[in-house]
Amino acid sequence: MIVLAISLATVASFIASAVLYAIPPVAAVISRTSTPRPGLPMAAQMASVALRSLIVSCLVAGLMLAAGWHGAGSGALLGLSLCALPLVLLLGGVVHENTALPAAGIHLLDWILKLTIIGAIVGSFL
C-alpha cells in the first residue's frame, strides 16, 4: 500500500504544480522573473519536477512510518511543517542570488501545496 500511496502522492503533487504554473498571472510572473536554463529540454524539466515529488513523497512516508503517525490530517500537518525547508532555501535565493521575491513566493506556494497534498495522500494510506 505504501508504494501506491507514494505513487499517487507523486502524481497528484505533479498535477497540482502544473495547474499552479498554468494559471495566467502565475505564468506571467514566472516568465518575467525567471531565466530558463539554456539547453535543458522541457521534458527534462518536467522529469525533474516528478523526481523531486517522488523523493519528497518517500521522505514524508518514511517520517510518518518512523513516527507512527496515521491519517490524512497528520500527513497534511507534517507536509505543512516541512514547508520550512523550501522557505529557508528560497529566502536564501532572494537574499544571496537576487531571486525575484514574487517568483520565490510562487515557488513557496507550489511547495506548500505539494507538501500538504503529499502528506494528506500518504497519511490516508497509513
Side-chain angles (χ1 to χ4, degrees):
M1 284 304 261
I2 195 70
V3 172
L4 178 61
I6 289 169
S7 299
L8 287 174
T10 299
V11 170
S13 68
F14 180 85
I15 291 169
S17 187
V19 168
L20 174 65
Y21 286 103
I23 297 171
V26 172
V29 169
I30 295 301
S31 293
R32 188 175 61 251
T33 59
S34 298
T35 306
R37 187 178 184 98
L40 188 61
M42 185 61 71
Q45 293 178 39
M46 294 300 101
S48 169
V49 173
L51 179 62
R52 290 191 314 257
S53 293
L54 174 63
I55 291 167
V56 171
S57 295
C58 290
L59 171 67
V60 169
L63 289 171
M64 289 194 74
L65 287 170
W69 295 333
H70 308 282
S74 296
L77 285 173
L78 173 61
L80 193 57
S81 69
L82 289 173
C83 290
L85 299 173
L87 172 65
V88 296
L89 293 173
L90 288 164
L91 182 58
V94 168
V95 172
H96 300 291
E97 297 168 6
N98 201 28
T99 301
L101 192 55
I106 290 169
H107 295 314
L108 179 59
L109 176 59
D110 179 43
W111 276 109
I112 290 169
L113 293 172
K114 286 195 278 197
L115 284 163
T116 305
I117 289 167
I118 287 169
I121 292 172
V122 169
S124 68
F125 280 80
L126 298 178

